[in-house]
Coordinates of all heavy atoms in Angstrom, one line a residue:
N270 N -17.4 8.3 -29.2 CA -16.5 7.2 -28.7 C -16.3 6.1 -29.7 O -15.1 5.6 -30.0 CB -17.0 6.6 -27.4 CG -16.7 7.5 -26.2 OD1 -16.0 8.5 -26.3 ND2 -17.4 7.2 -25.1
N273 N -14.5 7.5 -32.8 CA -13.0 7.7 -32.5 C -12.3 6.4 -32.5 O -11.1 6.4 -33.1 CB -13.0 8.3 -31.0 CG -13.1 9.8 -31.0 OD1 -13.0 10.4 -32.0 ND2 -13.4 10.4 -29.8
N274 N -12.8 5.4 -31.8 CA -12.1 4.1 -31.9 C -12.0 3.6 -33.3 O -10.8 3.2 -33.6 CB -13.0 3.1 -31.1 CG -12.8 3.2 -29.6 OD1 -11.9 4.0 -29.1 ND2 -13.6 2.5 -28.8
K277 N -9.2 5.6 -34.8 CA -7.9 5.4 -34.0 C -7.3 4.1 -34.3 O -6.1 3.9 -34.5 CB -8.3 5.6 -32.5 CG -7.0 5.6 -31.7 CD -7.2 6.2 -30.3 CE -8.1 5.4 -29.4 NZ -8.0 5.8 -28.0
Y278 N -8.1 3.0 -34.3 CA -7.5 1.6 -34.5 C -7.5 1.1 -35.9 O -6.9 0.0 -36.0 CB -8.4 0.7 -33.6 CG -8.2 1.1 -32.0 CD1 -9.3 1.6 -31.4 CD2 -7.0 0.9 -31.4 CE1 -9.1 2.1 -30.1 CE2 -6.9 1.3 -30.1 CZ -7.9 1.9 -29.4 OH -7.8 2.3 -28.1
G333 N -13.6 4.6 -23.0 CA -14.6 4.9 -24.0 C -15.7 4.0 -24.1 O -16.9 4.3 -24.0
L334 N -15.4 2.7 -24.2 CA -16.5 1.7 -24.5 C -17.3 1.4 -23.1 O -18.5 1.4 -23.2 CB -15.8 0.3 -24.8 CG -15.3 0.3 -26.3 CD1 -14.7 -0.9 -26.8 CD2 -16.5 0.7 -27.3
Ligands
MG402 MG1 -11.8 4.6 -27.1

Side-chain angles (χ1 to χ4, degrees):
N270 282 346
N273 275 344
N274 281 350
K277 184 159 74 162
Y278 296 107
L334 289 178

